[in-house]
Amino acid sequence: MSFESSHPVGSPLFRQRLLPVRILACLVLALAFAPPGSTSPRVERLTAAVDPARLHATVARLVAFGTRHTLSETASETRGIGAARRWLASELDALARLPGSRLKPFDDRFTAERGPRLPKPTELVNLGATLPGTDPARAREALVLTAHYDSRASDVMDAASDAPGAVDDASGTAMVMELARVMARERPAISVYFVAVAGEEQGLIGSDHLARRLKAEGIRVLAMTSIDILGNTEGQDGVKDDVTARLFSEGVSAVETDSERRFREAVGGENDGAAREWARYVKRVGERYVENLDFLVLLRRDRLARGSDHLSFSKEGVPAIRLTEAHEHYDRQHQDVRVEQGRSYGDDLAHFDPRYAAKVARGLLAAMAQLAAAPAPVRELILGGAVSPDTRLSFTLPADPRVTGVVLYRRRADAVTWQRVTSHPPTSQLELKGVVPDSHVFAVATVDAEGNESLPAYPVKLE
Ligand SMILES: [Zn+2]
């Protein structure tokens, strides 16, 4: 359930701005942009196309390689990491050949140096496809979605034993492939990278290479998501849950500068880093499109002392989150496949729930399809009104002709998620009479005629 309410055209703020006579103008504007909370037929169509049977088939195929350990054999056509990556590459090529597909497959191949979990230099290959953006003014901006296709057994250096890795992380890999398939014909404003990354279990090696490579190529990643462990609906805690998924995000950027820290301390922005805004966005949009789905915005960068590929992007300054199931079963993670005293261990296909994975994939897809199509965000949001009973917000609207309005997000400073959402015609300032800025938090997004919203921008300066 979302705790946010939307107050579109009929809200006091909207009336305040528009009632002064121009009723015709008001009507035109009301029709010109979709109010927050509405859904678009395009995104409805995309989410409906996610196919649980395809997710199951992909997970089953990956499990059938026996092990996908990074150090496993590469020559066999039927077993090991080499066979798995050749199959993934052929699947990505097939997606690019679908009628009308705009996907551009790539491989990001490199030799990783010896390290704590790599006894010798080893070739790793990230496999992906890019859906190119169509806005020339934003040619270097992108969204990134990853899952890792390598797997492991109980001993992280054991490259020979079976390591089916159905949920960790064939499930995420299947979702990445399915989202690429469903979005293949889309023409988003900015590019989208769908990537099956290598070497996660050996120390996030593949995603680290990808994050640094994109940065070196000048690609500005607006939001990154790692899907890792998403398909098990019977937790070790005894809870059966096919409704909930967790979004982990850092509140404060890992690469925050001194001046950013001083500003954050001045305004209390530790719960409003860009990664946290992306997590909230996924919750807001995903739950709007998918019935009976509950995204938890957890105020942590990951589970206790554990990580995933989003951390490779966080350390490069990218807003990055991890999407994972709500109730993990630890007997099925990083365990040799075996039965001990009647208790079964191992990450097998039988415990992957494709309907649950499809539901969560639809939620994430809705958020990615909206953000990739959204106009550029507002810049230089300045917060004013300190030591006064009113709030003033001023900002620079992007020179993006698709902007049909701005959306103001607001919550009281004791709340975790946004509580009030109001729509406004294109403007570069908003004034809220009787809203004390000391007790509230604000952010502003842009929106287009279809209702695609940018990530909400958080203040960067005080008036
Ligand atoms: Zn994993």
Side-chain angles (χ1 to χ4, degrees):
M1 286 293 293
S2 167
F3 295 102
E4 296 167 15
S5 55
S6 62
H7 300 265
V9 180
S11 74
L13 280 163
F14 199 93
R15 281 202 299 272
Q16 200 174 303
R17 297 196 58 80
L18 290 182
L19 260 192
V21 282
R22 303 189 318 239
I23 289 171
L24 181 63
C26 173
L27 278 174
V28 169
L29 278 164
L31 291 171
F33 59 89
S38 63
T39 57
S40 94
R42 176 183 69 94
V43 179
E44 296 275 13
R45 179 177 48 76
L46 291 171
T47 56
V50 172
D51 182 356
R54 288 190 69 99
L55 293 172
H56 189 266
T58 302
V59 173
R61 187 68 194 88
L62 289 168
V63 165
F65 292 110
T67 176
R68 305 185 306 279
H69 191 278
T70 299
L71 298 163
S72 61
E73 67 171 293
T74 56
S76 166
E77 282 306 316
T78 55
R79 185 178 176 87
I81 191 80
R85 70 191 178 208
R86 285 189 292 278
W87 179 77
L88 283 167
S90 71
E91 287 293 293
L92 289 162
D93 285 344
L95 295 181
R97 288 195 305 271
L98 291 172
S101 176
R102 299 181 62 249
L103 292 171
K104 305 260 180 282
F106 65 86
D107 67 21
D108 174 32
R109 187 179 294 264
F110 63 100
T111 301
E113 290 169 18
R114 233 163 59 99
R117 291 181 174 189
L118 274 190
K120 59 177 192 295
T122 306
E123 182 175 66
L124 267 66
V125 189
N126 298 320
L127 295 151
T130 312
L131 183 66
T134 56
D135 183 346
R138 302 174 71 197
R140 312 302 283 172
E141 296 181 31
L143 306 183
V144 173
L145 175 64
T146 73
H148 69 86
Y149 69 93
D150 61 314
S151 67
R152 60 168 285 188
S154 294
D155 175 357
V156 71
M157 303 306 283
D158 176 359
S161 297
D162 277 352
V167 171
D168 186 11
D169 185 30
S171 67
T173 306
M175 290 167 68
V176 169
M177 303 294 282
E178 183 63 356
L179 263 59
R181 183 186 73 84
V182 169
M183 288 188 72
R185 296 172 193 82
E186 288 291 290
R187 303 182 57 80
I190 61 172
S191 299
V192 184
Y193 290 76
F194 303 92
V195 194
V197 292
E200 195 267 355
E201 304 291 8
Q202 309 313 114
L204 315 182
I205 301 170
S207 58
D208 177 70
H209 188 265
L210 178 68
R212 285 188 289 111
R213 177 173 175 170
L214 292 177
K215 188 175 188 180
E217 290 175 357
I219 305 296
R220 196 161 77 81
V221 182
L222 302 192
M224 181 276 178
T225 308
S226 166
I227 312 174
D228 194 357
I229 307 186
L230 212 165
N232 173 65
T233 46
E234 292 180 29
Q236 188 132 24
D237 53 9
V239 176
K240 287 184 80 165
D241 181 352
D242 62 358
V243 171
T244 315
R246 294 176 294 174
L247 298 161
F248 285 94
S249 63
E250 63 184 11
V252 175
S253 168
V255 297
E256 181 182 53
T257 63
D258 274 355
S259 68
E260 286 167 344
R261 177 182 55 76
R262 285 193 295 276
F263 180 77
R264 171 174 59 78
E265 289 169 351
V267 299
E270 49 279 327
N271 192 15
D272 284 274
R276 184 74 34 86
E277 290 316 338
W278 172 227
R280 290 190 180 109
Y281 189 107
V282 172
K283 174 179 177 62
R284 188 161 64 241
V285 178
E287 291 179 4
R288 187 184 306 159
Y289 281 90
V290 184
E291 282 294 341
N292 213 17
L293 171 64
D294 195 359
F295 279 125
L296 307 182
V297 174
L298 296 191
L299 311 183
R300 290 181 164 152
R301 67 177 204 166
D302 207 323
R303 294 102 18 101
L304 300 183
R306 290 190 291 166
S308 178
D309 295 304
H310 61 308
L311 301 183
S312 295
F313 284 78
S314 301
K315 73 181 171 57
E316 300 299 335
V318 169
I321 65 173
R322 179 199 188 135
L323 171 58
T324 192
E325 63 201 28
H327 299 273
E328 295 171 71
H329 201 304
Y330 307 107
D331 287 359
R332 300 191 190 121
Q333 296 175 12
H334 303 183
Q335 293 284 349
D336 289 339
V337 182
R338 66 193 191 281
V339 178
E340 253 175 43
Q341 295 171 339
R343 184 166 170 174
S344 65
Y345 294 84
D347 189 357
D348 60 347
L349 180 62
H351 294 95
F352 170 68
D353 181 339
R355 291 189 180 282
Y356 170 66
K359 178 188 285 189
V360 178
R362 289 184 180 116
L364 177 64
L365 168 65
M368 290 184 65
Q370 288 227 331
L371 183 57
V378 305
R379 287 179 286 111
E380 286 295 304
L381 176 58
I382 300 171
L383 174 60
V387 208
S388 92
D390 306 321
T391 296
R392 284 186 304 279
L393 296 162
S394 58
F395 43 87
T396 306
L397 271 183
D400 188 326
R402 293 178 311 121
V403 174
T404 56
V406 298
V407 181
L408 170 63
Y409 285 89
R410 173 175 140 196
R411 67 177 196 271
R412 227 172 53 177
D414 63 342
V416 171
T417 51
W418 299 114
Q419 294 169 316
R420 286 178 67 86
V421 190
T422 50
S423 296
H424 308 265
T427 179
S428 59
Q429 45 192 342
L430 294 166
E431 186 163 14
L432 290 88
K433 292 280 186 200
V435 178
V436 178
D438 289 336
S439 301
H440 294 85
V441 182
F442 309 92
V444 177
T446 57
V447 64
D448 71 4
E450 196 196 43
N452 301 306
E453 284 184 33
S454 71
L455 281 173
Y458 191 75
V460 293
K461 213 188 272 185
L462 287 173
E463 191 177 273

